[in-house]
Amino acid sequence: MFTILDRYILKRYLITFMGMLLLFVPIGIMANLAEKIGKIIDNEAPLAEVIVFYGNFTLVIGNLLLPIFLFLSIIFFTSKLASNTEIVAILSSGVSFWRFLRPYFVGATLVAILIFMMGMFIVPHASIGFNEFEYKYFKKGKQTRVTENIFNQLNEQDYIYVSSFDPNRQIGYNFTYEHFDSIGKLDYKISASNIRWVEDDSIYRLTNYEKRTVRNETEYINSKRRLDTVFSFQIDDLTPVSYVAETKNLFELNDFIEDQRRKGASNINAYVLVKYKRWALPIAAFILTVIAVAVSSVKRRGGMGLNLAFGIGVAFVYIFFDKVFGTLAEQSGFSPLLAVVIPNLFFGVFAVYMLMKAKR
């Protein structure tokens, strides 16, 4: 049952958190607009698309920074409680430190639910428009896919490979298509110097086509200078765009990862990392809440300024750890699960230490 104390702290918690969002999100929008306004004008981006982009920008960037905003807002209002000796009065009235923390954990739970729902179902939809606008107007000509040594398993019997892929021209080089029979024996193999998707005719055009068919230990070869044909796969199946995992909700992402794992995708770690980060963000809300309360609940000579400086420092270290381990998982064989767990585990231990110190 909520007491007057619970309602008081929870109200301050949520109001300060919303105020932090209303303060920093517009600043983020203006900073991004100031940086990108030249490209928007040069590329003649329609006003309606720009407005939609910044709506999506608010959701995508805001969701990533929600735990940080939460952290800073708790430091801000708890420092004010401490400077007004309200915390001393609360604890002196017989309320234990653990009881004092209850409304903070209730608030953290509400914010964690918000982060979870946004990250799993709302932000993925916004990410589609956000990334499409970015690559359409801000990152023209930049590589957004894995384009070298692409291997893909279409199903249990069919495999394709290209040594390189040009997504702008929709052409793959040194193409190979292998089909195996039900017992795993090679049935036929198609190779070509390149494969091009002809959108107007909805066909694939193979150059220097060669098909080797194996029948009873005998190999038959059929070759042509050029062949127009159809395949069961889409040209984009060769390699999805780099941000594809960000655009899928919880259920779509699980199915997509399983599909890419079955196909033997080389960049599967990047997709798994996105999945784990979505689960880690709500947990981070609790960890950062504990650290923020522990730091700001003690009255210090430096006051709120010192607490906020410490909080900003912790936030930067948290982001640094997240980026370093995330890059390791994407660019090497480092486990995506460890890349997410290690920063949260480190700050979780730090949170417990700071809490025990503040309690004493």
Side-chain angles (χ1 to χ4, degrees):
M1 184 175 180
F2 274 65
T3 63
I4 294 175
L5 174 63
D6 293 327
R7 290 194 293 270
Y8 175 69
I9 294 178
L10 186 58
K11 181 180 177 181
R12 297 285 296 273
Y13 184 115
L14 297 177
I15 289 176
T16 309
F17 175 63
M18 293 304 299
M20 195 72 68
L21 287 178
L22 293 176
L23 174 65
F24 282 102
V25 169
I27 291 176
I29 292 174
M30 295 306 298
N32 185 270
L33 182 60
E35 179 187 355
K36 303 293 179 62
I37 188 66
K39 291 184 178 180
I40 291 175
I41 294 174
D42 292 342
N43 293 308
E44 299 180 349
L47 178 61
E49 289 189 31
V50 174
I51 293 173
V52 171
F53 167 75
Y54 279 105
N56 293 327
F57 173 88
T58 300
L59 292 173
V60 173
I61 303 301
N63 183 67
L64 289 175
L65 296 179
L66 277 179
I68 304 300
F69 292 150
L70 172 68
F71 181 61
L72 296 177
S73 64
I74 293 173
I75 288 180
F76 180 80
F77 89 83
T78 306
S79 295
K80 290 190 67 176
L81 292 178
S83 64
N84 295 333
T85 66
E86 292 179 71
I87 295 178
V88 173
I90 291 170
L91 298 179
S92 298
S93 67
V95 176
S96 69
F97 191 77
W98 302 113
R99 178 62 183 80
F100 168 70
L101 288 175
R102 189 173 78 171
Y104 285 94
F105 281 111
V106 172
T109 300
L110 295 176
V111 174
I113 293 172
L114 173 64
I115 294 173
F116 178 83
M117 296 303 296
M118 287 187 63
M120 295 298 188
F121 301 104
I122 299 174
V123 173
H125 179 73
S127 184
I128 298 174
F130 172 79
N131 282 290
E132 287 180 350
F133 189 94
E134 280 267 319
Y135 286 102
K136 182 178 181 180
Y137 295 109
F138 300 154
K139 300 181 180 180
K140 286 188 173 181
K142 291 192 176 182
Q143 189 181 91
T144 62
R145 309 167 185 252
V146 175
T147 58
E148 301 292 335
N149 297 320
I150 300 164
F151 171 83
N152 223 326
Q153 180 180 351
L154 302 177
N155 50 53
E156 295 296 329
Q157 297 175 298
D158 298 300
Y159 300 80
I160 56 175
Y161 170 83
V162 292
S163 62
S164 62
F165 176 66
D166 184 342
N168 295 320
R169 299 171 61 196
Q170 294 195 311
I171 183 171
Y173 298 93
N174 299 321
F175 169 73
T176 299
Y177 183 107
E178 296 180 339
H179 175 78
F180 293 83
D181 60 24
S182 58
I183 61 174
K185 186 177 180 180
L186 182 65
D187 186 17
Y188 63 83
K189 177 179 179 179
I190 295 174
S191 59
S193 59
N194 63 62
I195 177 173
R196 182 194 298 271
W197 170 248
V198 183
E199 188 171 358
D200 293 340
D201 299 325
S202 298
I203 59 169
Y204 290 97
R205 179 161 294 161
L206 303 179
T207 304
N208 297 325
Y209 162 86
E210 182 179 272
K211 181 177 181 180
R212 296 175 177 267
T213 306
V214 180
R215 292 289 182 271
N216 299 323
E217 305 301 328
T218 302
E219 187 176 279
Y220 301 90
I221 300 176
N222 179 26
S223 60
K224 292 184 179 181
R225 180 70 181 86
R226 193 183 82 178
L227 176 70
D228 292 342
T229 187
V230 294
F231 288 110
S232 60
F233 63 87
Q234 301 294 322
I235 192 69
D236 283 341
D237 288 341
L238 289 174
T239 172
V241 290
S242 58
Y243 57 83
V244 63
E246 300 171 13
T247 66
K248 298 185 179 297
N249 64 37
L250 172 62
F251 307 111
E252 293 170 342
L253 182 57
N254 287 334
D255 293 339
F256 174 75
I257 290 173
E258 288 304 314
D259 182 59
Q260 291 299 305
R261 185 174 281 119
R262 177 181 59 80
K263 292 179 177 179
S266 59
N267 54 342
I268 188 69
N269 274 6
Y271 307 142
V272 176
L273 182 66
V274 171
K275 174 184 175 180
Y276 288 150
K277 279 189 174 183
R278 290 185 185 178
W279 288 100
L281 276 177
I283 297 173
F286 290 97
I287 295 173
L288 293 177
T289 292
V290 172
I291 295 176
V293 176
V295 167
S296 56
S297 61
V298 179
K299 190 173 183 178
R300 291 180 172 84
R301 183 175 297 176
M304 185 186 303
L306 180 62
N307 289 339
L308 284 174
F310 179 83
I312 292 172
V314 171
F316 275 112
V317 172
Y318 179 82
I319 293 172
F320 173 77
F321 268 59
D322 180 69
K323 291 296 182 183
V324 167
F325 284 101
T327 301
L328 281 175
E330 290 178 352
Q331 305 296 330
S332 68
F334 193 75
S335 167
L337 180 60
L338 289 178
V340 172
V341 168
I342 289 176
N344 280 324
L345 182 61
F346 174 83
F347 280 92
V349 173
F350 179 67
V352 172
Y353 167 77
M354 292 298 294
L355 190 61
M356 293 297 103
K357 186 176 178 181
K359 181 177 179 293
R360 288 196 299 267

